[in-house]
């Protein structure tokens, strides 16, 4: 069975300090990935390396730098790189896979996720990350197996630190970057036009040589990078882009909670949101993405990263992580305290009931069998927990005495409580569901998804 990358697409959003309620920067991302691809949350400590050391990325090795910064990031289990992450300096990055005008080079290269992680490990500022990412692209190219290739090996990014942020958009080894003024977002399409501020060394000349622009013309990056034909994968991104713009621009005094709710968006209050199919069927390309069918993709993990330069040093960076589509999950807070709670970082290819990612994913699968029946009761429980975590995090920022163990204990408790809540919700659905309750449209999705990862289920009920 082929588990394609056809059902959804990542979403990145950012609110800079002048648009937030208390002057912090708030970054958010949903990482949409293929069905059954586990995405654990990982921590990598700072390290020093000797001269001549190499780093093994997903497909190639490249020279390592002398020092790497500590990072927290969300990583597909079989890939070196991150979908999104933040380093100890407060540099945060999220990526988008995009189709480009050219077919990929037939060579091994770096994945966009590899570039993201390498930039976090090597950058003390957003501007430095732009510089490093541009150099990595120009030196190594982007892509994977040159014989079996998805065309979407180009990457777009939001890059931020505690002072400023950038859009970074690329096609093959060509790239542009633009400073973000106040707030914004990106999806799986190009959006930077003529107003870029930084550009790759050969980007302009390449566009001239290929007659994409006239020799005396200014490059419109979105027009140059976007392919001239338009297929469904593009269309669903172009549909989501104005929704993301609306979600960001319609709000003022932005908060961490607002960003969480943006990542849960299913076009609420619009005609698109009133489609008669269940939300779990994924018939409309939403910010909160569900696989819907066996060839779909879903929001495998989500992050809201709070950067608050006015807080205590240990509280300046808060990584709020959610696993599975966030509409029925919960965001938990993590800090740079030297590691992460047990159960977050070990998910692999096959189902494991001891891993957080797999339990939250299993819960989503059962909710999808009857979203209208099960989602409200799960949301009620998860939202109550999340409000508690947000309240305690706010209180910590006021009363924190510098004890890192207090932060570590808070993260461990939040992780464990949310994990237990997910298991309780799951057990409740399993005990109450009857064959007649199942939405038959979702049955193939449930069975194929479960069988593809060895997730057990009661086939006397799920039939």
């Amino acid at each position: 069975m082929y588990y394609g990358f056809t059902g959804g697409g990542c979403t990145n959003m950012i609110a800079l300090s002048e648009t937030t309620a208390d002057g912090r920067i708030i970054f958010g991302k949903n990482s949409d990935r293929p069905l059954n691809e586990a995405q654990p949350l990982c921590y990598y400590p700072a390290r020093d390396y000797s001269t001549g050391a190499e780093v093994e990325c997903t497909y190639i090795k490249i020279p390592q730098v002398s020092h790497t910064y500590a990072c927290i990031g969300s990583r597909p289990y079989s890939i070196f790189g991150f979908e999104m992450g933040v380093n100890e300096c407060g540099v945060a990055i999220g990526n988008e896979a995009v189709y480009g005008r050219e077919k990929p080079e037939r060579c091994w290269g770096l994945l966009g996720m590899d570039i993201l992680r390498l930039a976090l490990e090597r950058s003390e500022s957003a501007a430095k990350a732009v510089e490093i990412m541009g150099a990595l692209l120009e030196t190594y190219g982007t892509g994977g197996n040159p014989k079996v290739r998805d065309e979407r090996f180009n990457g777009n990014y939001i890059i931020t630190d505690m002072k400023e942020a950038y859009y970074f958009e690329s096609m093959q080894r060509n790239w542009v970057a633009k400073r973000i003024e106040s707030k914004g977002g990106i999806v799986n399409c190009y959006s930077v036009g003529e107003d870029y501020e930084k550009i790759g060394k050969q980007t302009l000349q390449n566009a001239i040589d290929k007659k994409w622009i006239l020799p005396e013309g200014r490059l419109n990056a979105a027009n140059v990078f976007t392919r001239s034909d338009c297929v469904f994968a593009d269309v669903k991104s172009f549909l989501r882009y104005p929704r993301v713009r609306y979600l960001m621009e319609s709000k003022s005094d932005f908060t961490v909670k607002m960003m969480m709710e943006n990542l849960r968006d299913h076009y609420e209050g619009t005609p698109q949101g009133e489609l008669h199919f269940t939300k779990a069927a994924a018939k409309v390309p939403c910010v909160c993405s569900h696989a819907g069918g066996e060839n779909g993709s879903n929001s495998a993990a989500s992050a809201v990263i709070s950067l608050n330069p006015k807080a205590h040093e240990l509280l300046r960076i808060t990584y709020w992580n959610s696993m599975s589509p966030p509409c029925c999950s919960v965001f938990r807070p993590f800090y740079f305290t030297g590691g992460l709670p047990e159960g977050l970082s070990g998910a692999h290819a096959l189902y494991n009931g001891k891993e957080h990612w797999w339990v939250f994913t299993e819960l989503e699968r059962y909710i999808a069998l009857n979203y209208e029946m099960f989602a409200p009761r799960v949301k009620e429980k998860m939202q109550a927990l999340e409000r508690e975590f947000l309240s305690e995090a706010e209180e910590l920022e006021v009363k924190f005495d510098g004890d890192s163990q207090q932060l570590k204990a808070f993260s461990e408790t939040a992780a464990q409580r949310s994990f237990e809540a997910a298991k309780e919700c799951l057990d409740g659905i399993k005990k109450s569901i009857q064959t007649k309750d199942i939405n038959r449209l979702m049955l193939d999705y449930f069975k194929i998804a479960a069988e593809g990862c060895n997730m057990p289920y009661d086939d006397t009920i799920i039939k």
Side-chain angles (χ1 to χ4, degrees):
M1 177 60 65
Y2 168 68
Y3 299 120
F5 201 102
T6 60
C10 299
T11 302
N12 282 268
M13 292 178 271
I14 188 166
L16 297 181
S17 57
E18 59 268 32
T19 68
T20 60
D22 55 6
R24 74 184 68 214
I25 287 177
I26 304 170
F27 167 86
K29 180 185 172 180
N30 279 348
S31 168
D32 297 351
R33 294 292 299 174
L35 191 68
N36 282 336
E37 183 188 73
Q39 192 170 137
L41 184 67
C42 300
Y43 168 81
Y44 296 100
R47 285 190 61 185
D48 293 317
Y49 295 88
S50 58
T51 302
E54 291 184 313
V55 54
E56 185 166 354
C57 302
T58 303
Y59 294 112
I60 64 173
K61 291 181 180 180
I62 68 171
Q64 183 59 283
V65 294
S66 61
H67 179 78
T68 57
Y69 296 109
C71 300
I72 298 173
S74 197
R75 180 181 68 84
Y77 75 93
S78 62
I79 289 172
F80 165 82
F82 288 155
E83 278 280 295
M84 60 272 199
V86 63
N87 71 15
E88 60 182 302
C89 304
V91 179
I93 310 176
N95 79 325
E96 302 276 345
V98 284
Y99 289 100
R101 193 167 188 170
E102 292 186 305
K103 289 185 178 179
E105 300 175 43
R106 292 189 61 79
C107 65
W108 297 95
L110 295 170
L111 291 178
M113 287 173 277
D114 296 344
I115 291 171
L116 191 160
R117 177 175 165 184
L118 290 167
L120 288 177
E121 291 182 339
R122 301 174 180 204
S123 304
E124 67 277 2
S125 69
K128 184 66 174 177
V130 169
E131 177 187 324
I132 288 172
M133 291 166 69
L136 289 169
L137 267 178
E138 292 166 354
T139 303
Y140 301 105
T142 181
N145 187 332
K147 294 182 181 179
V148 184
R149 289 279 281 275
D150 180 345
E151 289 186 5
R152 284 209 290 196
F153 268 84
N154 302 294
N156 290 351
Y157 310 80
I158 285 180
I159 307 165
T160 189
D161 58 24
M162 297 194 190
K163 295 180 180 178
E164 61 178 356
Y166 293 88
Y167 297 121
F168 184 105
E169 301 193 347
S170 68
M171 181 190 65
Q172 304 303 310
R173 300 181 190 232
N174 305 297
W175 62 273
V176 295
K178 170 188 172 183
R179 187 177 282 105
I180 300 172
E181 293 300 324
S182 57
K183 54 187 175 183
I186 56 174
V187 298
N188 306 91
C189 63
Y190 295 103
S191 59
V192 175
E194 297 183 354
D195 53 346
Y196 57 86
E197 297 169 47
K198 302 184 181 189
I199 187 169
K201 292 178 182 178
Q202 298 299 321
T203 301
L204 186 59
Q205 190 59 51
N206 286 342
I208 293 171
D209 292 345
K210 291 172 182 175
K211 299 182 171 33
W212 292 336
I213 61 171
L214 296 173
E216 67 276 10
R218 178 158 174 92
L219 181 140
N220 182 312
N223 283 351
V224 166
F225 292 171
T226 300
R227 55 187 178 179
S228 54
D229 59 335
C230 193
V231 297
F232 177 69
D234 288 332
V235 171
K236 57 192 178 69
S237 299
F238 295 140
L239 287 172
R240 254 178 34 258
Y241 181 69
R243 180 60 176 175
V244 170
R245 290 283 301 272
Y246 170 78
L247 289 172
M248 296 305 298
E249 294 173 2
S250 63
K251 296 180 175 68
S252 57
D253 295 332
F254 219 85
T255 66
V256 167
K257 181 62 173 175
M258 285 181 186
M259 186 64 81
M260 293 172 178
E261 295 309 308
N262 276 5
L263 295 176
R264 294 181 167 118
D265 183 67
H266 284 283
Y267 286 98
E268 280 81 4
T270 72
Q272 295 95 321
E274 300 305 317
L275 193 68
H276 63 273
F277 292 103
T278 172
K279 291 177 181 178
K283 300 304 181 187
V284 176
C286 296
V287 172
C288 181
S289 179
H290 296 256
E294 62 269 24
N295 288 331
S297 66
N298 57 245
S299 295
S302 305
V304 174
I305 300 173
S306 166
L307 303 174
N308 185 2
K310 295 181 285 187
H312 185 281
E313 182 179 0
L314 292 175
L315 289 171
R316 289 176 186 170
I317 304 162
T318 309
Y319 192 114
W320 294 88
N321 164 265
S322 168
M323 294 176 172
S324 82
C327 66
C328 294
S329 189
V330 57
F331 285 91
R332 299 83 55 83
F334 303 103
Y335 304 88
F336 278 92
T337 55
L340 292 170
E342 188 177 354
L344 294 171
S345 303
H348 291 286
L350 297 180
Y351 170 83
N352 182 338
K354 296 180 180 179
E355 297 292 346
H356 288 224
W357 191 87
W358 278 114
V359 169
F360 278 101
T361 296
E362 183 181 12
L363 176 59
E364 188 275 336
R365 302 268 164 88
Y366 275 89
I367 292 170
L369 286 172
N370 192 325
Y371 191 94
E372 288 70 24
M373 177 183 290
F374 299 128
R377 65 179 76 164
V378 173
K379 288 181 181 181
E380 182 180 5
K381 190 175 192 70
M382 295 301 182
Q383 287 288 300
L385 262 184
E386 191 171 278
R387 286 191 295 270
E388 285 187 47
F389 299 157
L390 283 164
S391 177
E392 187 167 346
E394 290 175 4
E395 189 175 345
L396 268 173
E397 290 192 0
V398 175
K399 300 179 179 179
F400 186 59
D401 61 4
D403 181 6
S404 63
Q405 291 304 311
Q406 185 181 8
L407 294 183
K408 196 170 185 178
F410 175 35
S411 292
E412 289 175 349
T413 300
Q416 189 60 32
R417 288 184 66 195
S418 60
F419 183 54
E420 294 298 331
K423 290 194 293 184
E424 288 173 12
C425 290
L426 186 57
D427 288 344
I429 294 173
K430 288 180 178 180
K431 289 175 181 177
S432 65
I433 192 170
Q434 300 180 49
T435 304
K436 66 180 179 61
D437 295 330
I438 295 173
N439 181 337
R440 310 309 290 184
L441 176 66
M442 303 304 298
L443 189 56
D444 285 346
Y445 158 66
F446 180 95
K447 293 177 71 175
I448 291 172
E451 290 162 3
C453 66
N454 287 355
M455 187 185 91
Y457 62 89
D458 184 350
D459 57 10
T460 65
I461 295 174
I462 312 299
K463 63 182 180 179

